């Protein structure tokens, strides 16, 4: 199913308060340990808080991020072969900040064939980005 406003792939999760709209891609989460913890919904509709980065063996579950139109949460994954920060979006795709200079706005592009070291492909426009745990800049 797609969001009728922005076209993003979404799912509905039934909660005690009614259906909630979430990004369709599940996200691994870790115990809430700081102010970067976010609210997620489990597949059975429970609301949990967790961090979105950590060591895989310490992960506590899989949840879904609530969908917000024209806002995209990007989770830092590391640096590509050009030392550019690479992020994973809630849609499961990889994104790169092609000009991560301090004091400049983000210039986010998709990665060609969703390859970590792939070339920047399409520019992402009309979206406000939320970086977790932070926006990595030079």
């Amino acid at each position: 199913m797609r969001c009728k406003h922005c076209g993003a792939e979404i799912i509905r999760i039934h909660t005690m308060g009614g259906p909630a709209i979430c990004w369709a891609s599940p996200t691994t989460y870790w115990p809430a340990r700081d102010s970067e913890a976010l609210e997620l919904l489990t597949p059975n509709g429970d609301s949990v808080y967790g961090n979105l980065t950590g060591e895989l063996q310490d992960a506590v579950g899989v949840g879904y991020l609530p969908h917000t139109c024209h806002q995209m949460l990007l989770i830092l994954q590391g640096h590509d072969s050009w030392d550019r920060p690479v992020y994973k979006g809630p849609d499961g795709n990889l994104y790169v900040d092609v000009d991560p200079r301090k004091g400049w706005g983000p210039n986010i592009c998709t990665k060609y064939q969703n390859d970590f070291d792939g070339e920047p492909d399409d520019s992402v426009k009309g979206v406000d980005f939320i970086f977790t745990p932070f926006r990595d800049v030079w």
Side-chain angles (χ1 to χ4, degrees):
M1 157 183 312
R2 293 201 173 274
C3 175
K4 65 181 179 179
H5 301 289
C6 68
E9 191 70 28
I10 57 171
I11 62 170
R12 288 191 176 148
I13 295 179
H14 296 285
T15 68
M16 295 297 287
I21 308 300
C22 296
W23 288 91
S25 179
T27 301
T28 304
Y29 67 93
W30 287 260
R33 60 184 179 273
D34 55 29
S35 63
E36 299 294 327
L38 297 172
E39 182 178 14
L40 298 105
L41 290 170
T42 62
N44 65 357
D46 293 333
S47 179
V48 296
Y49 284 86
N51 282 79
L52 301 182
T53 58
E55 298 294 325
L56 191 54
Q57 68 267 17
D58 298 330
V60 294
V62 174
Y64 293 89
L65 291 163
H67 173 69
T68 53
C69 286
H70 306 293
Q71 287 186 334
M72 182 183 289
L73 178 72
L74 295 179
I75 305 164
L76 184 62
Q77 300 295 299
H79 295 91
D80 65 9
S81 58
W82 285 68
D83 200 31
R84 299 175 297 215
V86 177
Y87 301 91
K88 185 174 183 180
D91 54 6
N93 291 329
L94 295 175
Y95 297 89
V96 60
D97 191 348
V98 295
D99 195 5
R101 287 188 257 184
K102 189 175 185 177
W104 289 40
N107 187 357
I108 305 297
C109 293
T110 59
K111 282 289 209 168
Y112 182 70
Q113 295 185 343
N114 212 33
D115 179 24
F116 191 87
D117 282 320
E119 289 294 318
D121 199 15
D122 295 325
S123 183
V124 180
K125 302 288 184 201
V127 176
D128 291 326
F129 298 102
I130 303 166
F131 297 94
T132 194
F134 55 87
R135 178 176 176 230
D136 195 2
V137 294
W138 296 335

